[in-house]
Amino acid sequence: YNYCPRDRLLIAGDTVVDTAMMYPCRNQEIYALENIISGQKMVRMPKNSGMVLDAANICRLGDTWLFLESFSGNRAAYDWLCEQFPNINIELVNFYAGVHIDSTVVPLREGLVLLNGHRVNESNCPRAFDSWTKLYVDEVVAQDFYQYPYASKWIALNMLVLDPHTVICDRHQTNLIRLLEQHKFTVIPLELRHSRTLGGGFHCVTLDTWRSNE
């Protein structure tokens, strides 16, 4: 599989976190990434200890992280991360019981965030965004899938932010693209034709292997 390396590894500065995934069979995906992480500083979450965490449950905002408590990320894993990274403020959020956070919360640049309006509102919005401008999206264009969708239509919000002014977005989301352009983004419209069938959008299928917390 390994279509979504973002699910498998969590990058914290120069440290790679080997998480304990919701589906244990997916833990083996790390073997396909060994040539990438070889020589990197590794922290391994204990397996078979009651901890569950897919790396895509984490949204990183510099020295603040959001941890989505859901089927793919539990409180035990949250507590473990807090112990491992005491210098990072990890905010526990709970607005979606499904799996990952990146079809719900998309930080576009410092001070501006895109939010899934069907899951997030002013009452449950993460405190990290208290002073940010919030763009709520209430509808997207549902993409086709083959036989069974391993992602909801909201995978359309799963975009890749290349820099504070450039994003890669599903080309079918014309209203979303227009909204981004109104906020001075250059939008690169592309298509992952099987994103719902395979369960991952542009953010899911990419992985930064080193990240500064500054």
Side-chain angles (χ1 to χ4, degrees), residues 20 27 118 167 195 209-210:
N27 286 326
H118 278 242
V167 298
S195 61
T209 53
W210 187 88

Side-chain angles (χ1 to χ4, degrees), residues 33-49:
L33 301 169
E34 282 187 334
N35 63 321
I36 296 175
I37 62 176
S38 177
Q40 299 292 320
K41 179 181 177 182
M42 296 286 298
V43 175
R44 301 186 186 278
M45 180 173 287
K47 307 296 192 294
N48 304 315
S49 62

Side-chain angles (χ1 to χ4, degrees), residues 5 7 13 28 38-39 43-44 78 87 89 102-103 132 141 145 168 170 190 192-193 195 208 213:
D7 299 354
Q28 298 184 63
S38 177
V43 175
R44 301 186 186 278
Y78 167 79
N87 296 326
N89 173 37
D102 47 9
S103 61
W132 288 38
V141 178
F145 55 87
I168 297 175
D170 175 56
L190 297 175
L192 288 175
R193 188 160 56 95
S195 61
D208 47 343
N213 284 329

